Amino acid sequence: MTRSFALIDGNSFYCSCERVFDPKLKGRPVIVLSNNDGCAVARTAEAKALGIRMGAPMFSIRELCRREGVVVFSSNYTLYGDMSRRMNTVYQSFASDIEVYSIDESFLDFTPVAPERREELGRDLRSTVSAWTGVPTCVGIGPTKTLAKLANRIAKSTPQLRGICDLTSDEAQREWLPLVALEDVWGIGRASQAKLGAFGCETAADVAALDPKLARKTLTVVGERIIHELRGQPCIDLEAVAPTRKGCAVTRSFAGRVETLEMMQEAIAAHATRLGEKLRRHGLATDHVTVFFHTSPFNKGPSRSVSTTVDFPEASNDTLVLVRAAKWGARRIWKPGYAYAKAGLMTVDIVPLENSQRALMGGLDREKSGRLMAALDACNQRHGRGVVFPAAAGIARQRKAWVTKFEMRSPRYTTRLDEVPVVGRA
DNA sequence: TCTGGGGTCCTAGGACCC
DNA sequence: TCTGGGGTCCTAGGACCC
């Protein structure tokens, strides 16, 4: 049977979430900033019209924002994550198989829907999401995921389509593919664009017409897949069940600069605490952790980038184990005389804690560790992240220097009782 | 002064083995 | 100076995604 996929995503998603809870923002330029209030990661159409680019550093647009009355928010992931969950709940009544692709994008399996009914169902989907969550969306439909993505791009940039584009038919593909630029094809980034440009490719239609074997030589199997997908031959299936994740990382830029080992170890210990929380939430563990830190690539002055991996005797997700290893690693690669801008912890090869290999010696009392960590997590979940942390982490004294900035964050409207919007009271 | 964070997949090349 | 032909596994780095 010919497959069919629908891709739905939120328009300027983070900005739209802010607008849902503050209707005064309607029609105004709004942007949402990355961690540390560093750069713009979401912009409404009004903000784009002012020339604010994706990823524009805040210091370079601060004056423009002030002059033009742009409303600026720090990112509020608690709010966006919850809105995303609500949207996916709506999708469940439109398709039995759904792949949550990112915080604001999901693929729906439209294969069982008759071709002539797909566009209508897409419209219904959009209006239901809008009515139930307040978030505006666009829908793209196609016989492969790549074509559904492409259709979504077309819907976004073509107002007369009113938010939906269906590339099910060959005629529709013939009509639209020549109008889509190379870089708007899913999977074609800067490097591939340059290579394909050398072959004279300018549009999605040009890519679809390439010889797949030639594409494989220059763009590996990834490029070959893109061509088949653009021709309507599915190579990438829907993943209704999320595969278990392979790695886990906690990395942050500092609000200021870190120049002492004590401060670096505080920051690293805080990251280790987060890493432990993330692993435990998924029932996963790791037997090593990689510590890294580096100076800013943008600054002049001495630069340094280092990393080291610390192995454990056995897999663990105990915060005390992680903090100890991370601080030890940080000390091992520490060198003074640099203004460090960012630090992080990474692990690959994470495994389920249950049935992971035990150490012959130097192992941990897992039962005790599990109880302690469960108590820690329960307390922090109830009273806010970071309320309780191990004394070994030593977080407190100097945190102002490294703690991430969120100076313009909106309330957590949907997930904290004391922050829900109040109607009809002065 | 101020420039995000967290993932996945693919390939090439080296180490090692028989 | 001559000195094979495979395998596998691991890692680093590139590219891409949101």
Side-chain angles (χ1 to χ4, degrees), chain A residues 163-175:
Chain A
I164 185 157
C165 175
D166 181 4
L167 289 181
T168 295
S169 71
D170 293 346
E171 301 80 68
Q173 293 167 33
R174 271 199 298 275
E175 179 188 349

Side-chain angles (χ1 to χ4, degrees), chain A residues 24-86:
Chain A
K24 287 197 297 292
L25 300 175
K26 207 171 170 192
R28 294 191 62 183
V30 178
I31 63 172
V32 174
L33 303 178
S34 63
N35 266 342
N36 244 334
D37 296 341
C39 42
V41 292
R43 309 104 72 219
T44 61
E46 297 82 359
K48 289 174 193 170
L50 291 172
I52 298 176
R53 304 258 293 260
M54 180 66 180
M58 187 55 199
F59 71 84
S60 73
I61 54 172
R62 181 163 282 127
E63 182 48 33
L64 174 76
C65 290
R66 198 195 52 75
R67 197 171 61 232
E68 302 288 345
V70 177
V71 185
V72 181
F73 288 98
S74 304
S75 38
N76 185 343
Y77 296 112
T78 312
L79 175 65
Y80 313 147
D82 189 59
M83 294 300 285
S84 170
R85 196 185 48 73
R86 288 163 193 241

Side-chain angles (χ1 to χ4, degrees), chain A residues 107-135:
Chain A
F107 286 101
L108 277 62
D109 188 1
F110 265 26
T111 309
V113 184
E116 64 277 9
R117 283 215 56 244
R118 286 176 189 154
E119 191 177 325
E120 185 195 334
L121 191 67
R123 290 198 189 288
D124 193 8
L125 176 62
R126 283 194 76 222
S127 57
T128 309
V129 173
S130 170
W132 293 9
T133 70
V135 176

Side-chain angles (χ1 to χ4, degrees), chain A residues 97-335:
Chain A
D97 279 325
I98 298 161
E99 174 184 340
V100 180
Y101 178 66
S102 75
I103 193 165
D104 77 321
E105 282 177 77
S106 291
F107 286 101
L108 277 62
D109 188 1
F110 265 26
T111 309
V113 184
E116 64 277 9
R117 283 215 56 244
R118 286 176 189 154
E119 191 177 325
E120 185 195 334
L121 191 67
R123 290 198 189 288
D124 193 8
L125 176 62
R126 283 194 76 222
S127 57
T128 309
V129 173
S130 170
W132 293 9
T133 70
V135 176
T137 57
C138 279
V139 174
I141 301 166
T144 65
K145 286 166 94 175
T146 303
L147 283 169
K149 282 283 281 186
L150 209 69
N152 179 280
R153 289 298 280 258
I154 295 165
K156 273 223 161 68
S157 56
T158 318
Q160 55 270 36
L161 292 176
R162 292 185 295 131
I164 185 157
C165 175
D166 181 4
L167 289 181
T168 295
S169 71
D170 293 346
E171 301 80 68
Q173 293 167 33
R174 271 199 298 275
E175 179 188 349
W176 286 105
L177 261 61
L179 302 176
V180 178
L182 213 52
E183 63 262 37
D184 289 338
V185 177
W186 192 35
I188 296 185
R190 272 226 308 276
S192 307
Q193 204 188 324
K195 287 178 185 163
L196 290 172
F199 289 117
C201 288
E202 290 175 5
T203 71
D206 297 336
V207 181
L210 277 180
D211 174 13
K213 294 294 161 220
L214 179 73
R216 187 178 188 133
K217 246 190 243 157
T218 45
L219 298 181
T220 78
V221 293
V222 180
E224 189 181 5
R225 267 203 296 261
I226 290 172
I227 290 174
H228 290 303
E229 284 257 321
L230 284 175
R231 294 177 178 181
Q233 300 146 3
C235 304
I236 310 167
D237 208 351
L238 195 88
E239 288 185 351
V241 182
T244 40
R245 50 157 74 203
K246 301 194 161 62
C248 195
V250 178
T251 69
R252 291 283 180 282
S253 296
F254 304 128
R257 292 288 179 258
V258 165
E259 301 186 37
T260 67
L261 175 61
E262 292 67 38
M263 208 184 283
M264 181 63 82
Q265 286 185 310
E266 260 189 42
I268 292 277
H271 294 161
T273 304
R274 278 290 295 133
L275 186 66
E277 287 168 6
K278 282 170 87 170
L279 290 172
R280 291 195 293 276
R281 186 148 34 101
H282 297 101
L284 296 166
T286 183
D287 64 356
H288 66 274
V289 60
T290 299
V291 183
F292 77 83
F293 42 79
H294 59 74
T295 52
S296 168
F298 301 102
N299 281 10
K300 302 166 206 57
S303 77
R304 182 162 188 259
S305 176
V306 281
S307 73
T308 185
T309 299
V310 183
D311 293 306
F312 311 154
E314 63 175 17
S316 176
N317 57 23
D318 187 297
T319 290
L320 298 170
V321 173
L322 295 168
V323 166
R324 203 179 309 130
K327 289 177 80 170
W328 191 76
R331 175 183 290 279
R332 187 158 75 182
I333 53 176
W334 175 257
K335 203 165 138 189

Side-chain angles (χ1 to χ4, degrees), chain A residues 15-28:
Chain A
C15 297
S16 295
C17 291
E18 300 293 348
R19 271 183 176 162
V20 167
F21 293 93
D22 188 354
K24 287 197 297 292
L25 300 175
K26 207 171 170 192
R28 294 191 62 183

